């Protein structure tokens, strides 16, 4: 039985991007169902019919439903161990899970001030000190990972992993809002921007025509 991943608009739904990219980039086959966000009660009910959380993404695997981006990535890692969504080394795996969980629970100022909007023309905007602190911490994470694991490949932990998927929307945020980054961070961003699955998501986002006005205010 095939997997079904229920996601929101590719242009705006950063949380949907994470598990979609994790599955796609590691070759895990799935069917994709897009339910537009903020379009009214009918689409909201379609999401509720999949998960009582009322939120996307959600992964359906037979009689198993998993919601929340990081939970989906963890489930996929257990269900498809050959995809190697986490590093094989126990220390590297703990590191990857730690930075992924930090991404999952932190950086609220950056999220609030620089929402994911792939259609948005590239331009900077004034940011709060809290958002700039978020940006500095993310760059620190990426730089330390690349310094420690860069000899094993071009991603955060050498090979592509769930950690790269968790941080993927930040690549778009940094690009869209013209964030100044260090050379090592720029090199990592280039790696992600060149990833075939990342490009496929981006192309899909740019092809969307639905505009959510509250995400277009900046």
């Amino acid at each position: 039985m095939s997997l079904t991943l229920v996601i929101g608009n590719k242009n705006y739904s950063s949380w949907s991007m994470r598990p979609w990219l994790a599955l796609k980039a590691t070759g895990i086959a799935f069917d994709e169902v897009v339910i537009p966000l903020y379009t009214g009660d009918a689409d909201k009910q379609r999401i509720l019919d999949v998960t009582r959380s009322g939120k996307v993404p959600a992964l359906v695997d037979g009689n198993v439903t998993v919601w929340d981006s990081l939970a989906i990535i963890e489930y996929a890692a257990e269900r498809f161990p050959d995809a190697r969504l986490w590093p094989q080394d126990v220390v590297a795996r703990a590191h990857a899970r730690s930075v992924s969980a930090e991404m999952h629970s932190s950086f609220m100022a950056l999220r609030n001030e620089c929402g994911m909007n792939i259609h948005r023309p590239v331009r900077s905007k004034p940011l709060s000190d809290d958002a700039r602190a978020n940006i500095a911490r993310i760059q620190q994470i990426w730089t330390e990972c690349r310094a420690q694991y860069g000899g094993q490949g071009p991603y955060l932990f050498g090979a592509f992993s769930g950690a790269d998927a968790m941080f993927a929307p930040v690549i778009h945020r940094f690009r869209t809002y013209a964030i100044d980054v260090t050379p090592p961070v720029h090199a990592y961003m280039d790696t992600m921007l060149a990833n075939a699955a990342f490009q496929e998501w981006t192309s899909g986002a740019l092809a969307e025509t639905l505009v959510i006005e509250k995400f277009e205010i900046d």
Side-chain angles (χ1 to χ4, degrees):
M1 186 175 293
S2 63
L3 304 179
T4 299
L5 183 66
V6 181
I7 61 174
N9 316 62
K10 289 182 177 177
N11 185 51
Y12 302 108
S13 186
S14 59
W15 289 109
S16 295
M17 182 183 188
R18 293 178 167 101
W20 187 98
L21 187 63
L23 299 177
K24 181 71 69 168
T26 55
I28 299 172
F30 64 97
D31 296 323
E32 172 187 316
V33 174
V34 179
I35 302 178
L37 305 177
Y38 304 103
T39 52
D41 291 342
D43 284 329
K44 181 66 174 179
Q45 186 59 52
R46 289 176 65 201
I47 297 173
L48 286 167
D49 288 343
V50 176
T51 168
R52 289 186 180 182
S53 72
K55 298 178 180 179
V56 291
L59 181 73
V60 180
D61 182 14
N63 63 353
V64 176
T65 299
V66 188
W67 59 97
D68 182 277
S69 295
L70 189 53
I72 293 170
I73 291 172
E74 290 284 14
Y75 177 81
E78 291 184 358
R79 178 83 161 73
F80 302 95
D82 290 345
R84 298 192 172 184
L85 270 167
W86 296 119
Q88 296 297 100
D89 176 74
V90 64
V91 175
R93 187 163 64 251
H95 191 175
R97 282 181 159 137
S98 293
V99 299
S100 296
E102 184 175 354
M103 178 68 250
H104 188 271
S105 62
S106 306
F107 311 120
M108 294 309 299
L110 178 64
R111 297 180 201 272
N112 292 334
E113 297 176 37
C114 299
M116 192 170 89
N117 181 352
I118 298 172
H119 277 274
R120 181 184 185 274
V122 174
R123 62 177 182 270
S124 62
K125 61 175 284 188
L127 298 175
S128 69
D129 289 343
D130 286 344
R132 294 198 176 279
N134 290 172
I135 291 165
R137 173 56 184 154
I138 290 168
Q139 292 199 71
Q140 181 183 50
I141 290 171
W142 292 356
T143 301
E144 289 176 349
C145 289
R146 294 295 303 127
Q148 189 166 353
Y149 304 102
Q152 302 172 36
Y155 294 97
L156 291 179
F157 292 88
F160 181 91
S161 74
D164 298 292
M166 286 300 295
F167 280 99
V170 179
I171 304 293
H172 274 307
R173 285 180 162 99
F174 280 11
R175 180 195 62 83
T176 303
Y177 293 89
I179 304 298
D180 289 330
V181 298
T182 64
V185 168
H186 197 287
Y188 171 63
M189 289 176 63
D190 285 345
T191 293
M192 288 293 287
L193 289 165
N195 178 281
F198 191 101
Q199 291 181 345
E200 184 177 342
W201 177 277
T202 303
S203 295
L206 293 174
E208 291 179 346
T209 58
L210 180 64
V211 173
I212 301 176
E213 292 296 340
K214 72 176 186 175
F215 296 144
E216 299 288 339
I217 59 176
D218 62 352

